């Protein structure tokens, strides 16, 4: 019997990637679909949570997407929460419909432009 000790190995799992984001016909929410099941950032089961735990907008993303007068409302160093409030409206929320579908509920003040990229946080 021969034994061999080699270097440790790490099994890398594929991370879920956003497949689509579809705006509801009423404009009140959009659903983000991932190609693999997620861990829901610890929020599976339909509970509401702050979207900044999953989506990663920052002011630099907005510079080419929104009119300058809208961006100036945010001030020089806006937080991710402030950016989300501008894009999705005050009182917006996220909830996992399943381990592959995230619902982002918008409010009447939402300013998210159609076709805007949705940066998703890793992990």
């Amino acid at each position: 019997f021969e034994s061999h000790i080699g270097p440790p190995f790490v099994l890398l799992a594929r991370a879920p990637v956003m497949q689509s984001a579809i705006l509801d016909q009423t404009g009140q929410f959009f659903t983000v679909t991932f190609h693999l099941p997620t861990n829901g950032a610890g929020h599976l089961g339909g509970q509401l949570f702050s979207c900044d735990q999953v989506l990663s907008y920052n002011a630099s993303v907005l510079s080419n997407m929104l009119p300058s007068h809208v961006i100036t409302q945010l001030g020089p160093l806006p937080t991710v929460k402030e950016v989300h409030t501008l894009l999705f409206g005050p009182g917006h929320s996220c909830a996992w419909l399943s381990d592959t579908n995230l619902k982002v509920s918008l409010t009447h003040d939402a300013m998210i432009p159609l076709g805007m990229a949705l940066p998703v946080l890793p992990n």
Side-chain angles (χ1 to χ4, degrees), residues 25-91:
Q25 62 185 354
T26 66
Q28 295 179 349
F29 67 89
F30 61 91
T31 304
V32 179
T33 301
F34 293 86
H35 85 299
L36 290 173
T38 71
N39 66 3
H43 294 286
L44 291 176
Q47 64 193 36
L48 299 179
F49 64 94
S50 177
C51 297
D52 63 353
Q53 295 178 29
V54 178
L55 302 175
S56 174
Y57 283 108
N58 59 46
S60 64
V61 171
L62 300 179
S63 61
N64 294 326
M65 295 290 186
L66 295 173
S68 60
H69 74 277
V70 172
I71 294 171
T72 56
Q73 295 175 21
L74 290 171
L77 296 171
T79 66
V80 172
K81 278 191 187 290
E82 290 171 327
V83 173
H84 283 188
T85 298
L86 178 71
L87 290 175
F88 307 139

